[in-house]
Amino acid sequence: MPTPPAFSNAQKAKRDFGTRLGEIRKTAGLTARALASSCGWHESKVSRIENGKTSPSAKDIRLWAAQCEASDQIADLIASLEAIEGMFVQWKRMERGGLRRAHESVIPLWQRTRRFRTYSPWLIPGAVQTESYTRALLRGTAARRGLPDDVEGAVKVRNERLKLLHQKDRRFAVLIEEAVLRNVMGDTDVMASQLGYLLTVSELPSVSVGILPLGADRTAMPPVEDFWIFDDAQVNVELISGYLTITQPGEIAMYADAFTRLAEIAVVGAPARRLIATALEVLE
């Protein structure tokens, strides 16, 4: 899988922030060794921060600015640091309070969004999952990552979000690779129930389900990473190591374009339902 542009952008932002701190140091007339000594750090820490290899803490920023007589920049520097850290969050950090709390953290985003666009190459997206499918996925996640067993709490939070499917002012456009219909999660009963529910939910006026058929010509748009677009304000990308939040308009536009290209390959309506029904028949 190619590196998502937002991940590269997060790394660049980290390096740019380090360069900014280096400029503050140089303006103060301090060498890296002098700054490290005055802060009580090893000399290499200053170099690692300025090169974007190590992220400073808020405490580090305050000390750095104070030693460089730039205390007036502390608030802005810390705000910039928090924005950069929010671009990419490791799962272990996001889920350190448990799966339920992680799911609760995105409730405000879902509540303010009116147009949802999601693409998945490997799983049924959360907006159209059954309770048993969600439970199976979260139990697998908790086991792989060694998380506390609060799966039932997380399932309850996820189910509350599903009520949005029935609100007239919301629109959900879901794109799924056909192979997803054949990936069994939980067991065959769980998967059969999920496919049946997918057929039902695809009939809702607020939901559009598109399936990208196996064997389709993918030259124009190959499979990519799992992503969600919330209105035109934010994109979230799920990676193996963590969770990307994209808010740069240019990068949001790239994902919107990818979604449009994927949608042009997908089948919807009756043809999509036939693919789902066929997968269900094979399963049964």
Side-chain angles (χ1 to χ4, degrees):
M1 181 188 299
T3 300
F7 189 59
S8 296
N9 190 59
Q11 293 174 318
K12 182 179 183 300
K14 190 174 177 181
R15 290 194 298 269
D16 289 346
F17 186 69
T19 298
R20 180 181 175 187
L21 291 175
E23 290 171 351
I24 290 173
R25 172 182 62 76
K26 292 171 185 176
T27 299
L30 294 174
T31 64
R33 177 176 296 178
L35 176 59
S37 178
S38 63
C39 291
W41 300 336
H42 189 281
E43 182 181 349
S44 63
K45 179 171 180 175
V46 172
S47 176
R48 292 198 306 272
I49 290 174
E50 291 185 359
N51 290 314
K53 295 180 179 179
T54 296
S55 293
S57 65
K59 181 180 178 181
D60 292 337
I61 293 297
R62 292 189 184 95
L63 192 53
W64 188 298
Q67 296 302 319
C68 295
E69 298 182 354
S71 295
D72 59 321
Q73 298 189 52
I74 290 176
D76 184 59
L77 288 168
I78 291 177
S80 296
L81 177 64
E82 290 175 347
I84 293 168
E85 290 180 336
M87 293 174 70
F88 177 74
V89 181
Q90 289 184 318
W91 289 120
K92 63 182 180 181
R93 176 182 167 192
M94 186 173 182
E95 297 168 345
R96 61 189 174 192
L99 286 170
R100 175 172 182 165
R101 186 169 297 178
H103 280 73
E104 288 175 338
S105 69
V106 299
I107 288 177
L109 173 62
W110 278 65
Q111 290 177 334
R112 66 176 178 263
T113 300
R114 293 297 178 269
R115 184 188 183 195
F116 299 79
R117 284 168 286 176
T118 180
Y119 162 77
S120 180
W122 47 66
L123 297 171
I124 303 294
V128 290
Q129 289 176 5
T130 62
E131 182 176 318
S132 58
Y133 187 93
T134 296
R135 182 177 290 108
L137 288 180
L138 294 183
R139 288 202 182 285
T141 297
R144 287 194 307 276
R145 298 177 185 160
L147 301 174
D149 186 3
D150 63 348
V151 168
E152 291 305 318
V155 169
K156 183 177 180 180
V157 172
R158 179 81 69 90
N159 286 343
E160 284 297 310
R161 290 204 318 238
L162 298 187
K163 294 178 181 178
L164 297 177
L165 288 174
H166 302 277
Q167 294 185 2
K168 295 181 180 179
D169 63 339
R170 316 278 176 163
R171 291 293 180 270
F172 290 82
V174 178
L175 296 178
I176 310 169
E177 297 286 347
E178 184 182 354
V180 170
L181 306 177
R182 309 300 179 94
N183 293 335
V184 176
M185 300 294 163
D187 56 32
T188 53
D189 288 339
V190 168
M191 198 64 202
S193 176
Q194 174 61 71
L195 293 177
Y197 179 70
L198 194 58
L199 284 171
T200 299
V201 79
S202 67
E203 301 279 4
L204 292 175
S206 62
V207 180
S208 169
V209 175
I211 308 296
L212 288 92
L214 290 168
D217 183 351
R218 303 302 296 271
T219 306
M221 191 66 211
V224 293
E225 65 271 12
D226 181 298
F227 65 86
W228 282 83
I229 307 176
F230 298 90
D231 290 328
D232 289 314
Q234 179 174 320
V235 175
N236 287 131
V237 184
E238 296 190 7
L239 304 174
I240 291 176
S241 58
Y243 191 76
L244 283 172
T245 297
I246 302 168
T247 56
Q248 293 292 331
E251 292 193 39
I252 293 173
M254 290 177 68
Y255 277 93
D257 178 69
F259 187 88
T260 298
R261 292 175 184 274
L262 289 164
E264 290 172 350
I265 300 170
V267 296
V268 297
R273 287 191 285 275
R274 281 197 292 272
L275 289 178
I276 299 170
T278 298
L280 183 56
E281 290 172 4
V282 172
L283 189 66
E284 294 178 338

